[in-house]
Amino acid sequence: MSPGSQPAVLRWLAAAAAAAGLGCTLWAARAVPAHLVRIDRREADLRSLANVENDARALAPYLAALTAATGGIAETPEAMLRRVAPGAAAPTVAAAAPEPLDDGWRFRRYTFSFADVPVDSLSAFLAACDTARPPWRAAQVRIQALDPGSTRARAALTLEGVDRAEPGAKDGP
Amino acid sequence: MKGVRVSSSYGIDAGDGFLAVVRAARSPRGLAFTTVLSGTGPVTEDAGQGAASETALAAARRISIVAAALPARDSVVRRLTVPMPSVARARRVLPSLLDVRLPFRLEDCAFAFPVIRRTPDGRVDALAVAAPRSAVERRLAALKGAGFDPMILDAEAPALWARAQSECPATGTGIRVVAHFAPDRLVLAVGRGEDLESVVTLREGLGAAPSDASDGDRAAMLQRVRPVLGTDGSAEWIWTGPRVEGDPEAVASFERDLGAGTDVRWIRAPEPATFLARALAARVLSAGPAACNLRQGDLAHAGFASWGLAAGRRAAVACLVAGLALAAFQVSLTAWVSRREADVQRRLESEARRVGRLAGVQRGQELRMAKDAVTRRNTALAPVASLFEPSAVPRLAGMLRLARQSGLTFEVIELADDAVRVEGTSPDRDACGRIEDFLRLQGYRTRIRRNDEAVDGRVPFTIEGDRK
């Protein structure tokens, strides 16, 4: 390169650099606002996710209480009836399909129908259900006295509770 | 000067028996002038050498441009008109037009066009200055002998005219004469308004002692000057030059002789002795009519020729660096914003997976998928909350306790979260009301129905209720 051509080359390089700078500025002027809009949208989504997370945590205290209430496998209501009222006639038991909850828990609903049961046995059974950990909650109770002294009764009880499927066991009543 | 940017300059007015050196510097309030040397008569060797050294040092450090003038008697000033509207095209033909107006060959001249402008009537008007190269060489040799090596050799008359426009602005459109009265010459720059039109140089007549001048010399001089003033009204005459202060009698005598019968407004420029030096220094720095440099071709100042080149190279390098820096900045900015977007996207996907307990999320659907997952899960877990509602057992126990206390018997009890129904008998019509009160306290809206008293004296009753 001759010394005389150096300034010309330099001028061309300067012009090219200026054009590159200008081109990059135009490119950035178009690209950056689009990026910023997307960032704003995603940050707004992140803020909204915080509200969703609050919703997700709404039931967390109940689940925590369940976990704290029991360490092992819950006793079934039938086993409980046999334990607290061994002399009572066996009821007809209808079990709804278990509804899977969280962390292995299943929601269970049983309907016990007693054709003729001593009221004392019924009381003991209901008390045992109520104090079990986790409890078997009596959602509906229908008791019809069978004698004037109300010592025997016909009863239908709907009990709700949770249990945990044993590892490897299939869901079922 | 094109391609060269300095903040100060030196103007040298060196003539026979006179030397003035003025430094001009840019300041917030315009140009500030400092007289380095000004004196008529023989300049002492020390003073002259001191001024020459100062200008040489400033030039060597490239902080000042040094300008001197080619005397008006050695140059030609012409006004040219090109009958075309394009200045660029006019520039190409101006040398040819000048050539035919010169008393010597253009090839042997240094020439410049310090003023080129388009006129309102669609033509191009130019001021041309030309000087034989031999005159330029002689002038440079004389200046070198005095210790000066100016980078710019300007034309004397245009410089005087331009300075007079700044220091003594025209008050009308009449004839205007800028007269530079030096020991060796009287130069008249003549024009109208802002336009310099012609230059007259007089050597005769105004000697150091006016009385020494012969009547013939004076008569010849006045004869040359009178036509300059014209006959069409008033004129302005601006006196500059060292003799204006040094020989006031000559000036007064001239004004008397010339002023008879004419309407001339005589003006003395401030500090007239250094006026030309100021004019030369100011022309280098001012944005007005450009200084013309008659040091051209092989007569150009060796060091100054590289100034423009170096300045151009610096400008190109600055442009190169600025362009690359701008490009780098914009690319970095875009990359940074892009990276930030990717970070936010990653956080969003991670949070959506965590909150919604999802294995994966679709880009752009993160929030919706997490919301749906949480809604599904909450719906599925809703029964868990109901487990913590009070069961029917405490209500049942409460009713049985009340029945025992009040002598009631129950035949049927149906108890649910949202409904209740009780059938039984009461020992009187009021006792069963306690059960109703109890159920109301539990949130049921109840209705009680009492039948007629039975044969055993007991009152059958039915209580029904519901709640939300």
Side-chain angles (χ1 to χ4, degrees):
Chain A
M1 185 185 296
S2 71
S5 66
Q6 283 177 1
V9 170
L10 196 58
R11 274 200 299 275
W12 278 109
L13 283 174
L22 195 64
C24 287
T25 302
L26 291 174
W27 168 63
R30 292 185 60 179
V32 169
H35 282 297
L36 291 177
V37 166
R38 286 197 292 272
I39 287 171
D40 282 351
R41 202 180 303 145
R42 277 156 181 68
E43 284 181 337
D45 284 356
L46 270 171
R47 286 192 293 275
S48 299
L49 265 182
N51 296 332
V52 175
E53 187 175 19
N54 288 338
D55 292 345
R57 284 178 178 164
L59 296 172
Y62 299 114
L63 294 171
L66 277 182
T67 306
T70 179
I73 303 299
E75 188 180 20
T76 64
E78 289 156 292
M80 215 179 295
L81 177 65
R82 281 195 296 274
R83 180 166 56 78
V84 300
T92 303
V93 179
E99 298 173 28
L101 298 174
D102 205 45
D103 198 20
W105 290 100
R106 299 181 304 178
F107 182 76
R108 304 303 304 264
R109 182 180 283 117
Y110 292 95
T111 303
F112 281 68
S113 300
F114 297 89
D116 183 357
V117 63
V119 171
D120 291 344
S121 297
L122 198 59
S123 299
F125 178 50
L126 284 172
C129 288
D130 217 33
T131 54
R133 288 290 176 270
W136 286 97
R137 179 175 176 274
Q140 287 184 19
V141 175
R142 185 179 193 284
I143 303 171
Q144 183 178 2
L146 294 179
D147 58 348
S150 298
T151 57
R152 305 193 69 82
R154 177 181 298 133
L157 310 177
T158 300
L159 302 175
E160 293 174 347
V162 292
D163 66 3
R164 258 181 163 151
E166 291 185 46
K170 289 181 180 177
D171 282 350
Chain B
M1 297 303 294
K2 188 179 178 183
V4 178
R5 173 88 181 166
V6 291
S7 58
S8 64
S9 63
Y10 286 89
I12 301 167
D13 176 10
D16 290 343
F18 178 73
L19 177 61
V21 179
V22 169
R23 180 175 182 272
R26 295 183 205 276
S27 75
R29 286 178 295 178
L31 294 178
F33 295 100
T34 307
T35 301
V36 178
L37 178 66
S38 173
T40 51
V43 176
T44 63
E45 196 172 324
D46 285 349
Q49 280 184 352
S53 300
E54 183 177 331
T55 59
L57 184 64
R61 290 169 61 191
R62 297 193 170 188
I63 56 175
S64 295
I65 293 175
V66 181
L70 184 69
R73 63 174 172 262
D74 294 331
S75 62
V76 171
V77 173
R78 295 283 183 269
R79 200 95 216 171
L80 304 175
T81 301
V82 184
M84 57 177 64
S86 166
V87 171
R89 291 176 65 186
R91 277 182 198 281
R92 291 199 290 270
V93 301
L94 279 172
S96 304
L97 291 178
L98 177 63
D99 192 13
V100 299
R101 303 273 303 273
L102 290 178
F104 25 76
R105 291 187 344 139
L106 190 66
E107 291 78 12
D108 299 331
C109 289
F111 62 92
F113 302 97
V115 177
I116 302 177
R117 65 170 178 228
R118 189 155 42 191
T119 61
D121 58 355
R123 295 185 297 179
V124 172
D125 181 53
L127 181 70
V129 177
R133 289 171 52 80
S134 57
V136 175
E137 285 172 342
R138 276 200 310 276
R139 180 64 175 159
L140 289 176
L143 287 167
K144 197 157 237 169
F148 295 104
D149 185 16
M151 300 146 180
I152 307 283
L153 192 63
D154 204 344
E156 186 177 37
L160 290 168
W161 183 262
R163 194 67 213 150
Q165 296 294 325
S166 295
E167 296 193 8
C168 310
T171 55
T173 57
I175 293 287
R176 181 174 164 85
V177 179
V178 181
H180 186 67
F181 192 9
D184 58 339
R185 65 197 187 280
L186 173 61
V187 177
L188 307 181
V190 184
R192 281 175 186 274
E194 295 182 350
D195 297 331
L196 172 65
E197 292 176 350
S198 63
V199 179
V200 177
T201 304
L202 304 170
R203 294 197 210 173
E204 61 273 61
L206 289 172
S211 54
D212 293 345
S214 67
D215 288 346
D217 285 347
R218 294 178 65 83
M221 181 196 70
L222 292 170
Q223 192 175 359
R224 286 196 62 192
V225 173
R226 278 207 180 94
V228 162
L229 294 175
T231 56
D232 59 344
S234 62
E236 284 182 347
W237 186 287
I238 299 153
W239 282 110
T240 73
R243 292 287 295 278
V244 174
E245 285 177 335
D247 196 356
E249 281 183 28
V251 172
S253 162
F254 186 87
E255 288 180 358
R256 261 195 319 276
D257 293 342
L258 193 63
T262 57
D263 180 14
V264 180
R265 181 168 165 247
W266 305 100
I267 300 167
R268 280 172 174 72
E271 298 184 51
T274 57
F275 188 87
L276 178 58
R278 288 204 306 278
L280 294 168
R283 288 253 284 179
V284 174
L285 301 180
S286 298
C292 53
N293 192 2
L294 297 172
R295 290 196 71 170
Q296 298 171 357
D298 57 350
L299 297 179
H301 188 281
F304 189 56
S306 66
W307 276 33
L309 199 61
R313 194 173 294 152
R314 274 199 303 275
V317 169
C319 188
L320 179 71
V321 171
L324 291 177
L326 185 63
F329 171 73
Q330 299 294 1
V331 169
S332 305
L333 175 69
T334 310
W336 178 76
V337 173
S338 180
R339 210 166 38 243
R340 184 148 174 262
E341 184 190 347
D343 285 347
V344 174
Q345 176 66 34
R346 259 196 306 278
R347 268 172 50 213
L348 179 62
E349 287 178 4
S350 162
E351 284 292 288
R353 279 199 305 270
R354 185 179 65 78
V355 171
R357 300 188 178 194
L358 298 165
V361 289
Q362 192 180 341
R363 190 185 177 92
Q365 302 294 320
E366 301 87 355
L367 179 62
R368 190 187 61 75
M369 291 178 75
K371 264 184 182 171
D372 291 350
V374 166
T375 304
R376 275 197 308 273
R377 186 160 168 264
N378 281 356
T379 304
L381 290 178
V384 172
S386 70
L387 290 180
F388 290 84
E389 296 291 323
S391 76
V393 173
R395 276 170 277 156
L396 182 63
M399 287 167 62
L400 292 173
R401 192 167 52 249
L402 276 175
R404 250 194 327 272
Q405 291 170 358
S406 306
L408 300 171
T409 58
F410 294 134
E411 291 172 5
V412 174
I413 298 175
E414 291 177 4
L415 201 52
D417 290 332
D418 55 353
V420 65
R421 183 166 178 277
V422 179
E423 289 179 21
T425 59
S426 171
D428 53 48
R429 297 190 72 82
D430 296 330
C432 57
R434 297 185 65 184
I435 296 294
E436 186 185 18
D437 293 341
F438 174 78
L439 290 172
R440 279 185 176 164
L441 283 174
Q442 300 299 315
Y444 292 98
R445 290 176 302 175
T446 57
R447 301 169 298 282
I448 187 166
R449 193 172 66 246
R450 296 177 180 87
N451 293 336
D452 294 336
E453 196 175 296
V455 289
D456 58 357
R458 296 184 68 82
V459 177
F461 69 92
T462 301
I463 300 173
E464 290 178 328
D466 60 72
R467 69 176 181 183
K468 290 184 180 176

